[in-house]
Amino acid sequence: MNKIFSTAIVRMTVLYVGVLAFVCILFSGFIYGAASNEIDRTGMRQAIGFHNMLGNFFVDESESERLRVRESLDAKRRLRVNLFLVNLAVIGGGAVMCYFFAKKTLEPVEESVRAQERFTSDASHELRTPLASMKTEIEVALRDPQLSIAEAKDLLSSNLEEVNTLHVLTENLLLLARNRELGEMRSTDIARLLKSTAKKYEPALKKASMKLTLDIH
């Protein structure tokens, strides 16, 4: 189960990081496009300003254009490097946060699955006990060729008690399941529960010449 949820956390983290990377790349594309246009416009304004101020005699048009293009390319290269580093930091830090949020998101689901597994295990154990008792009594009775009517009635009475126990147990388990789903767990009187359990198994203990003593304070 831990492996399944670990895989789910990794997959959810990858999904979150993918969405984050897509947003970062998209946003960086807009920033780069706008900044590139602004760099080109700024370089052009500067070139026109120098030309108007100094005139053609002092300004070499071809050299000025080459210088403007080189400065523009350098500025764009620095912009790309900065955007790459910023995105790398954002995605790296976001990956850690995405893993944390994915783990927190799946924690209630994992706990719910574990509670369901515990409930299923407990319910199976509680249901198997009376069924095993009934099965044993019936098998022993069927192997006895001299089974009397009185013994058969005792057997049916004992099985009826077990059936009633199963009925009550099933109702309690269904109630417990509904309470867990609603998140409403009522308090339980442990002393009363122990006395009821001891009373239920009292006939079986007498048959086995055993005695159960409860020391409840």
Side-chain angles (χ1 to χ4, degrees):
M1 186 59 64
N2 291 333
K3 185 177 180 181
I4 294 176
F5 277 98
S6 296
T7 304
I9 291 173
V10 172
R11 289 181 178 177
M12 185 173 289
T13 301
V14 171
L15 177 62
Y16 287 166
V17 173
V19 174
L20 178 62
F22 175 77
V23 173
C24 288
I25 293 173
L26 187 64
F27 188 66
S28 297
F30 284 123
I31 292 178
Y32 181 76
S36 296
N37 293 332
E38 184 61 28
I39 290 172
D40 292 336
R41 285 194 297 267
T42 301
M44 186 65 67
R45 286 195 298 267
Q46 289 177 350
I48 294 173
F50 283 130
H51 182 272
N52 293 334
M53 182 175 62
L54 299 177
N56 293 333
F57 182 76
F58 294 100
V59 178
D60 186 348
E61 291 289 342
S62 61
E63 182 64 24
S64 176
E65 180 63 18
R66 285 195 297 269
L67 179 62
R68 185 186 67 81
V69 172
R70 185 166 59 251
E71 290 179 348
S72 177
L73 292 176
D74 289 341
K76 291 179 180 179
R77 180 182 58 79
R78 290 193 298 270
L79 177 61
R80 288 195 297 269
V81 172
N82 290 334
L83 287 175
F84 174 78
L85 293 177
V86 170
N87 285 333
L88 187 63
V90 171
I91 294 174
V96 177
M97 296 301 297
C98 288
Y99 180 83
F100 174 78
F101 286 128
K103 187 175 181 181
K104 285 294 182 182
T105 301
L106 290 177
E107 275 183 359
V109 180
E110 184 177 8
E111 181 59 31
S112 177
V113 172
R114 287 179 178 175
Q116 184 177 4
E117 288 180 346
R118 290 194 298 267
F119 174 78
T120 304
S121 177
D122 295 341
S124 299
H125 175 73
E126 293 297 330
L127 290 173
R128 280 198 303 265
T129 302
L131 288 174
S133 177
M134 292 173 60
K135 182 175 182 294
T136 302
E137 290 182 351
I138 294 173
E139 288 177 347
V140 171
L142 290 176
R143 291 173 183 173
D144 186 0
Q146 298 179 351
L147 182 67
S148 64
I149 296 178
E151 290 174 339
K153 288 183 177 180
D154 290 338
L155 175 63
L156 291 176
S157 298
S158 176
N159 288 339
L160 181 59
E161 290 180 1
E162 296 295 345
V163 170
N164 291 332
T165 300
L166 285 173
H167 176 73
V168 174
L169 180 58
T170 303
E171 293 294 329
N172 290 337
L173 289 174
L174 291 175
L175 178 62
L176 179 60
R178 287 195 294 267
N179 286 337
R180 286 189 175 183
E181 291 176 358
L182 297 175
E184 300 175 356
M185 299 299 293
R186 296 178 295 181
S187 59
T188 302
D189 188 346
I190 299 299
R192 182 179 178 183
L193 177 62
L194 291 175
K195 290 178 180 179
S196 174
T197 304
K199 184 177 180 180
K200 182 178 68 174
Y201 289 103
E202 186 175 349
L205 292 172
K206 286 183 178 179
K207 291 181 180 180
S209 299
M210 298 175 64
K211 183 179 181 181
L212 177 63
T213 303
L214 297 177
D215 186 8
I216 302 174
H217 299 286

